[in-house]
Amino acid sequence: MDTTVTRSGLDGVVVADTRLSEVDGERGRLVVAGHDIERLAGETSFEALAGLLWTGALPQAAAVEATRQVLAEGRVRAFARLHADELGRFADGMDALRAAMARLSADDGFDAPANLTGAVAVFAAAWGRVRAGGQPLAPDPALPHAADYLRMLTGEAPDPARVAALEAYLVTVADHGMNASTFAARVVASTGSDAVSAIVAAIGALKGPLHGGAPGPVLDMLDAIGEPAGAARWIEAELAAGRRIMGMGHRIYRVRDPRAAVLEAALARLERAGASNGRLALARAVERAAEGALRAKYPDRPLAANVEFYTAVLLDAVGIDRAAFSPTFAAGRVAGWCAHVLEQRATGRLIRPASRYVGPAPLQ
Ligand code: COA
């Protein structure tokens, strides 16, 4: 057995066989259970995508309706277990989401993917409402999942163009190979632990700015830059100060993240529907400037826009506050986490890698 640690980030180490998604970093391609992400986003409902991940096949209309119903039941079940007073204690939405999810019990039905997925949406939205000074809104089981999430979060009747954009986002981020949070979920599942514990671990991993915590800072960056003409100077100054440009670069992709294109297209559709935040042109200018500056600094390491770049602009245009961006990411990704928990359980194999001891030798 090769016990040499070559890279501490497990780069290129294959830790599972999966039927859920494939990330081709060289060609910039994302396949979810046999479907290119470009074909899914904008055409597939979140319910259908969840069905695809949980069963392995794109569901027919009746099965989509059945998933819509179990997701609605999951939201209602989670709302009954919501402790709104506690949510207000958290300044950070991911802290609140992690705490609210941790109160759930697998013995109370929360081992089921639909209930867990419903719960993340309900708790993320409830935190957003409490943070804005309001009261959590009860779910409306008659609504599709994306529409109800947006309604519970913003308190407004969902506008179809914005719901469509949010749905394209949730579908786009639902699964993405062996990313850090998915790996965290699988490690927990591999011990025989319950799905709530696996999802809580995944939320903790997603919170970090190197994973799911980047979109808020991307919007901060666009605000700081202000005008397309100021992009190059601002980016240069950041790089000169040794800081990373949020929304750029990826561990796997050596080209532009295909999800960036999908979300950029969803944003353009939203603009055409008249629901723009006017930031698309600025975002494109900043992306060009960042790509050029990073190419000059790292000529051997292509660093292009990742999913978070256009997530920021899209979710802002949808009407979601930047503080809720990462919880909204979790509301989409939880569908994938649940599928990976099921897949990992089916292997029956504990994930337990090794480490190399580099500490002092024991005293003789
Ligand atoms: N801005 C500036 N420099 C960057 C960069 C960025 N966004 N992304 C990578 N680099 C630099 C690294 O610092 C490293 O430089 P060094 O050798 O001088 O230390 C070099 O490029 C190579 O980095 P790499 O090994 O390819 O990065 P990684 O695989 O460890 O990191 C990310 C991948 C995503 C963590 C990284 O690109 C990043 O921090 N991006 C910004 C945060 C972000 O958008 N996260 C969301 C990811 S979906």
Side-chain angles (χ1 to χ4, degrees), residues 45 56 91 112 141 187 197 207 277 281 307 350 359:
S45 66
V187 168
S197 302
K207 180 188 172 189
N277 55 358
V307 65
L350 172 70

Side-chain angles (χ1 to χ4, degrees), residues 105-331:
S105 167
D107 299 334
D108 185 27
F110 287 95
D111 212 54
N115 288 343
L116 288 162
T117 302
V120 170
V122 164
F123 297 156
W127 175 79
R129 293 293 299 158
V130 171
R131 182 178 177 275
Q135 285 296 317
L137 293 177
D140 179 350
L143 284 178
H145 193 70
D148 203 25
Y149 175 62
L150 194 55
R151 185 193 61 83
M152 289 188 291
L153 178 60
T154 63
E156 289 166 15
D159 160 63
R162 289 196 168 89
V163 170
L166 175 64
E167 187 142 42
Y169 169 75
L170 295 174
V171 165
T172 301
V173 302
D175 201 52
H176 197 244
M178 195 52 61
N179 59 88
S181 57
T182 295
F183 185 46
R186 288 189 75 128
V187 168
V188 174
S190 84
T191 69
S193 185
D194 61 285
V196 174
S197 302
I199 301 308
V200 169
I203 290 169
L206 187 71
K207 180 188 172 189
L210 301 188
H211 188 8
V218 168
L219 211 56
D220 297 340
M221 170 175 72
L222 296 182
D223 284 349
I225 293 173
E227 294 293 329
R233 196 165 7 95
W234 194 92
I235 297 283
E236 296 291 351
E238 284 295 290
L239 290 179
R243 286 190 282 271
R244 292 189 177 202
I245 309 302
M246 290 293 123
M248 300 297 294
H250 198 272
R251 173 59 61 81
I252 307 288
Y253 291 118
R254 293 296 177 267
V255 292
R256 195 178 192 232
D257 184 332
R259 298 167 300 171
V262 167
L263 298 183
E264 186 186 10
L267 186 60
R269 281 199 297 276
L270 199 54
E271 278 213 353
R272 283 198 296 277
S276 154
N277 55 358
R279 281 190 157 122
L280 181 55
L282 174 62
R284 284 176 169 154
V286 172
E287 183 190 359
R288 269 196 307 277
E291 211 178 302
L294 288 166
R295 195 181 311 116
K297 186 168 182 187
Y298 301 102
D300 302 327
R301 171 64 171 103
L303 294 165
N306 63 48
V307 65
E308 310 282 30
F309 197 89
Y310 284 96
T311 290
V313 195
L314 182 73
L315 294 185
D316 179 64
V318 163
I320 295 177
D321 188 278
R322 72 189 74 188
F325 285 179
S326 297
T328 301
F329 190 169

